[in-house]
Amino acid sequence: MSIASEISRIQNELKPFPTRLIVVTKTRSIAQLLETHATGVLDFGENRVQEMVEKHAQLPAEIRWHQIGHLQTNKVKYIAPFIHLIHSVDSLKLLAEINTQAKKNNRIINCLLQMYIAQEESKFGLDKQELIDLLNDPSLPGLTHIRIIGLMGMASFTSDQAQITREFSSLQAIFQHLKMEKLGESTGLVSWDELSMGMSGDYMLAAEHGSSLVRVGSAIFGERN
Ligand SMILES: *Cc1c(COP(=O)(O)O)cnc(C)c1O
């Protein structure tokens, strides 16, 4: 199967939903990224800063780069000039550094807060109380060069569909609560527009649970080495 046919198959499956596809290009070659770009897809997801920076330099400027993996504070400066959306914000300290680097680059950087929804030790993210504390922190209104535009989450790495469904439902419920209560919106820096959840094995389930952005790699390119 070609990259183009896999992308169009997934886009067709997502058509009934207001869900957009981010193609996860980590570990893939420049040739594969160019082939992806040729299909008309402009949203590319990477999880390593250095790899993203190198690819960004070699690909068309219109591509929208999404940081989907854990982001270390000391690496923000490398992606700040061009990053479209950072999905993996899990602390106020990281948000403050993104603000500093965005300001230096004279731009505003959109962010998602990463929520911990999996039943696994290894996943990053905030729990509900940490999320509320972050949104109520007195320093947040000063971070004028960031915008929080939604939430991101990763389900457990399992084939148990019922468990994945529970985890997606819990994130959807949190998202809907924030949206209804307009939490943080009085700062002028927060809007609850995007819910980033769903990967190759569970993107349809995610779409059915209100995901606005699915992050799909191996269903398009095959397994990673
Ligand atoms: C790698 C990765 C994906 C895509 O995973 P696939 O199973 O290849 O679709 C999605 N989200 C994050 C955060 C990732 O690191």
Side-chain angles (χ1 to χ4, degrees):
M1 277 299 174
S2 70
I3 291 173
S5 65
E6 293 302 329
I7 288 174
S8 87
R9 176 180 62 78
I10 294 167
Q11 284 172 332
N12 273 322
E13 288 179 297
L14 292 173
K15 244 184 204 143
F17 303 95
T19 310
R20 281 139 35 231
L21 172 65
I22 296 172
V23 175
V24 175
T25 52
K26 65 189 187 196
T27 76
R28 311 300 174 178
S29 68
I30 296 294
Q32 287 173 303
L33 270 66
L34 287 169
E35 204 176 324
T36 301
H37 177 252
T39 69
V41 167
L42 293 179
D43 291 286
F44 286 31
E46 290 279 338
N47 67 339
R48 286 173 195 275
V49 164
Q50 192 183 337
E51 187 177 339
M52 186 192 289
V53 168
E54 286 170 9
K55 287 173 170 172
H56 168 261
Q58 298 176 65
L59 279 125
E62 66 176 346
I63 289 171
R64 298 186 286 257
W65 295 91
H66 296 254
Q67 171 67 27
I68 61 173
H70 183 66
L71 179 58
Q72 285 174 284
T73 308
N74 61 358
K75 302 232 170 119
V76 174
K77 57 178 175 285
Y78 301 115
I79 59 171
F82 66 86
I83 193 72
H84 178 69
L85 179 61
I86 300 175
H87 293 230
S88 49
V89 176
D90 60 359
S91 71
L92 198 58
K93 178 169 161 259
L94 179 56
L95 209 50
E97 175 62 12
I98 296 168
N99 181 65
T100 298
Q101 297 302 330
K103 201 167 180 174
K104 273 189 193 161
N105 285 279
N106 200 18
R107 60 190 299 255
I108 285 170
I109 296 181
N110 288 330
C111 299
L112 304 179
L113 299 177
Q114 181 170 358
M115 299 297 293
Y116 177 87
I117 55 170
Q119 294 186 329
E120 287 168 7
E121 285 298 312
S122 61
K123 297 266 162 76
F124 296 98
L126 305 162
D127 65 28
K128 204 170 173 183
Q129 191 55 50
E130 289 168 333
L131 168 73
I132 289 167
D133 290 348
L134 189 155
L135 292 170
N136 287 324
D137 196 280
S139 70
L140 185 65
L143 305 182
T144 53
H145 286 70
I146 58 101
R147 295 291 180 269
I148 295 171
I149 64 168
L151 299 180
M152 180 269 225
M154 284 171 86
S156 296
F157 186 71
T158 174
S159 55
D160 180 348
Q161 296 295 299
Q163 184 176 344
I164 297 173
T165 301
R166 279 197 299 278
E167 293 172 2
F168 284 166
S169 297
S170 76
L171 187 55
Q172 181 181 29
I174 294 169
F175 183 70
Q176 284 173 342
H177 173 78
L178 296 171
K179 214 177 161 91
M180 215 152 61
E181 299 293 322
K182 302 185 190 298
L183 229 89
E185 289 187 17
S186 63
T187 60
L189 307 177
V190 178
S191 62
W192 301 109
D193 297 323
E194 303 287 358
L195 181 56
S196 169
M197 64 180 192
M199 304 172 33
S200 286
D202 52 28
Y203 61 86
M204 288 308 291
L205 207 50
E208 287 160 11
H209 288 85
S211 173
S212 67
L213 298 169
V214 291
R215 312 175 305 268
V216 180
S218 44
I220 295 165
F221 300 106
E223 290 305 313
R224 276 178 298 276
N225 297 324

